[in-house]
Amino acid sequence: MENLKLYNSLSNTIQPFAPIKRKQVGVYSCGPTVYNYMHIGNLRAFMFADITKRVLQYNGFNVYHVMNITDVDDKTIRDSNASGMSLNDFTKKYTHEFFKDLDSINIIHADRYPRATEHVDQMITMIQDLIDGGYAYISDDKSVYYDISKYEKYGELSGIDKAVLQNDTRGVNSADEYDKDNAQDFALWKAYDSSDGDASWDSPWGRGRPGWHIECSAMATSYLGKHFDIHTGGIDLKFPHHENEIAQCVVCSGGEPFADYWLHNEHLMVDGKKMSKSMDNFYTLRDIIDRGHDPMAYRYFLLQGHYRTQINFTWESLNASETALKKLRAKIADLRSASSWWSRLRADIDQPSFLRFLTAINDDMNTSEALATAWTVAKDSTLPPAIRYKTLIDFDRVLGLKLEQATTKKSNSSDIPFDVEYLLKQRESARADKNWQLSDELRDKITDLGYNVKDTADGQEISKN
Ligand code: AMP
Ligand code: ZN
């Protein structure tokens, strides 16, 4: 059997997945910054976390998945102030919208969604540990900074130039986001500024608020322990966010590793540029729905690309995904109609197809190959409809396309009387035995009962007269 292999950004190689505990896997995903509706680029990151979890579950692992809600940072404060709402009301509104988006594209909810504002005590404890250990210092304005020159392995994940660490003229950076060429001591605690509005907490260093990076470190370790298996996020978070998370956690845990596997999804692009709010080149799921599309078409769209490649979003490609999804659903509905409930119940999953599917998803989550395998099964008329149906429904545990809910305009098999189902089953075996005479007789009996049976490349199709 093909065991799961994942691309680890820490080693820059594809590695066999070896969990810390045998069957239990801890996953932390950087969650949404709730200052606006998610754009569909953000949703790519959450869909990626969903696929990671589904692939692990398909491999028989129990997954404990934690995703934070960033409800205090530079952006939430800036935009809640501008809106005139309290930080709490403002972020609650967008948290609610975030969950609606997850449901629209069938993302399985994480086990925990810790909010940053509810974990400030844990952040303060970590910051104090960093100060006590000599890794952080208090600045004149009573902010606290991490001294990146003290952490030897700084840059291990992102590969920043080590010379930066030795540079004494290296400054401090109080912003949450900055780029790799600007590696600087970063803010763990930001002293209160009047522009922070109602976002402040008491601390041993005075009133203020946490930096963004310590938020994830505190929430990840609170729920998953010091050392856990997988950390996910978009590629733009690799530096500085994830680099800083590691620097904080490894020190606070006395040198224990933090996450073993760092998985990063590539960007969703528009006209060759990263989709982002700041570039104002973004669409939300609402835009997709307002234009009359099924939001699940976006899920299908994402499955067609590998998570480590950039994907360009266009309305034409979304249309094409929607058409393909409709066809796949229609296939499922046909297979359901053409098989009786007990044949589906008794049917086994087609093993060669299962192995191809497993090989694809275990090859660093190759969802496009997995989707192609699903299509091969859907079209393979050498396999009985019940087996194809059962196999596709099984694959849907990973694909998440809600195939079982696919409906058909033709009579649904559950509406078909027992005796017609029985005759259909008989006819299926007669045809498998190439007993055409019996097959025709059975068709006549079915017609007498008020149903039409048609033979297609995909098996028998049944409809009411
Ligand atoms: P944010 O809400 O800004 O904290 O971002 C949430 C997640 O979306 C993070 O994992 C980001 O890396 C990810 N992200 C942001 N923009 C894109 C994009 N264009 N494509 C894919 N992921 C993105
Ligand atoms: Zn994070």
Side-chain angles (χ1 to χ4, degrees):
M1 196 169 93
E2 278 304 322
N3 288 329
L4 178 60
K5 292 191 287 303
L6 298 170
Y7 183 89
N8 190 350
S9 299
L10 207 51
S11 62
N12 290 318
T13 56
I14 293 189
Q15 295 179 331
F17 176 63
I20 299 166
K21 292 185 193 141
R22 217 169 67 83
K23 278 286 160 200
Q24 184 74 33
V25 179
V27 180
Y28 183 84
S29 300
C30 284
T33 307
V34 280
Y35 71 113
N36 208 323
Y37 297 105
M38 294 300 106
H39 61 63
I40 56 174
N42 300 133
L43 281 172
R44 184 177 189 193
F46 307 133
M47 162 82 174
F48 165 59
D50 179 61
I51 291 293
T52 305
K53 177 161 64 186
R54 287 171 181 265
V55 165
L56 287 163
Q57 288 172 338
Y58 198 81
N59 277 275
F61 293 109
N62 294 320
V63 181
Y64 188 63
H65 186 206
V66 179
M67 179 181 280
N68 73 294
I69 305 281
T70 304
D71 62 354
V72 55
D73 80 322
D74 296 350
K75 293 186 282 196
T76 43
I77 292 175
R78 180 194 65 198
D79 289 3
S80 64
N81 282 344
S83 75
M85 288 166 87
S86 71
L87 181 68
N88 189 41
D89 289 348
F90 181 78
T91 55
K92 279 226 163 98
K93 170 179 166 185
Y94 289 112
T95 305
H96 180 70
E97 296 299 333
F98 161 73
F99 285 119
K100 283 211 295 209
D101 284 353
L102 295 191
D103 294 340
S104 296
I105 58 168
N106 199 26
I107 287 178
I108 302 172
H109 285 206
D111 297 285
R112 302 298 292 254
Y113 285 103
R115 283 157 215 266
T117 50
E118 290 169 5
H119 295 80
V120 176
D121 285 350
Q122 289 91 325
M123 296 168 204
I124 290 175
T125 304
M126 284 185 90
I127 297 170
Q128 189 63 57
D129 283 353
L130 291 168
I131 295 173
D132 294 346
Y135 288 85
Y137 57 89
I138 305 163
S139 66
D140 292 343
D141 76 339
K142 305 287 180 218
S143 292
V144 184
Y145 288 92
Y146 192 108
D147 179 347
I148 58 172
S149 71
K150 295 276 164 54
Y151 182 58
E152 242 180 41
K153 289 190 180 163
Y154 195 81
E156 193 185 18
L157 178 69
S158 57
I160 61 153
D161 184 357
K162 291 276 176 197
V164 176
L165 304 184
Q166 267 72 56
N167 181 358
D168 285 341
T169 58
R170 187 188 72 243
V172 296
N173 204 325
S174 60
D176 286 333
E177 292 178 58
Y178 50 93
D179 60 37
K180 213 164 128 176
D181 300 329
N182 245 332
Q184 290 168 326
D185 290 356
F186 61 90
L188 294 163
W189 188 260
K190 303 186 190 194
Y192 183 72
D193 179 291
S194 58
S195 64
D196 288 346
D198 59 353
S200 72
W201 289 261
D202 279 327
S203 80
W205 323 286
R207 247 187 129 60
R209 63 178 170 102
W212 173 39
H213 315 297
I214 197 74
E215 294 183 1
C216 276
S217 285
M219 289 183 273
T221 50
S222 291
Y223 293 91
L224 292 162
K226 291 172 181 171
H227 180 201
F228 59 90
D229 299 292
I230 297 178
H231 195 309
T232 79
I235 192 78
D236 53 326
L237 300 190
K238 198 164 149 187
F239 188 89
H241 187 51
H242 292 164
E243 190 72 66
N244 293 350
E245 269 192 65
I246 295 174
Q248 295 163 152
C249 287
V250 172
V251 169
C252 287
S253 69
E256 247 193 89
F258 178 39
D260 283 346
Y261 296 81
W262 286 82
L263 311 184
H264 291 108
N265 64 276
E266 254 302 343
H267 287 141
L268 182 73
M269 314 291 282
V270 185
D271 299 329
K273 294 198 184 71
K274 176 193 169 193
M275 181 178 284
S276 67
K277 277 168 200 143
S278 57
M279 293 283 293
D280 202 22
N281 62 349
F282 65 91
Y283 300 111
T284 65
L285 221 44
R286 275 148 207 81
D287 297 322
I288 288 184
I289 295 164
D290 287 349
R291 289 195 189 206
H293 294 287
D294 176 351
M296 288 294 284
Y298 182 59
R299 185 175 180 100
Y300 190 99
F301 168 87
L302 289 176
L303 288 171
Q304 288 170 302
H306 190 267
Y307 76 90
R308 280 195 295 117
T309 53
Q310 295 182 339
I311 314 182
N312 202 48
F313 178 80
T314 62
W315 290 102
E316 291 72 37
S317 44
L318 186 75
N319 266 330
S321 300
E322 188 160 22
T323 306
L325 175 59
K326 275 187 188 150
K327 283 189 182 153
L328 188 58
R329 284 181 174 156
K331 277 272 176 214
I332 281 281
D334 287 347
L335 293 172
R336 198 179 151 93
S337 298
S339 54
S340 60
W341 69 266
W342 77 83
S343 64
R344 290 195 298 273
L345 193 72
R346 278 195 344 226
D348 286 324
I349 290 160
D350 182 54
Q351 281 302 304
S353 307
F354 162 73
L355 283 177
R356 269 205 307 281
F357 184 83
L358 189 68
T359 304
I361 58 167
N362 282 358
D363 178 17
D364 192 27
M365 302 190 270
N366 189 341
T367 52
S368 60
E369 189 59 37
L371 199 56
T373 307
W375 269 108
T376 308
V377 173
K379 289 179 175 167
D380 185 355
S381 54
T382 64
L383 289 172
I387 290 186
R388 283 148 72 192
Y389 180 87
K390 192 111 171 219
T391 307
L392 288 170
I393 295 302
D394 181 67
F395 292 176
D396 205 37
R397 286 162 53 206
V398 175
L399 303 174
L401 293 169
K402 295 194 194 168
L403 294 180
E404 203 155 16
Q405 292 174 21
T407 51
T408 173
K409 290 194 185 69
K410 299 183 200 96
S411 294
N412 190 303
S413 69
S414 57
D415 302 326
I416 297 171
F418 183 82
D419 43 357
V420 177
E421 289 239 9
Y422 179 73
L423 293 169
L424 272 175
K425 183 73 197 157
Q426 298 279 303
R427 192 166 175 273
E428 197 178 298
S429 340
R431 293 182 67 75
D433 296 341
K434 299 198 181 343
N435 187 342
W436 310 122
Q437 193 189 333
L438 179 59
S439 162
D440 287 347
E441 285 169 14
L442 289 164
R443 181 208 295 273
D444 292 344
K445 284 189 184 166
I446 292 169
T447 312
D448 290 346
L449 290 168
Y451 285 82
N452 275 326
V453 63
K454 204 168 90 189
D455 297 306
T456 72
D458 295 326
Q460 305 182 86
E461 262 183 28
I462 184 86
S463 57
K464 224 170 159 79
N465 274 336

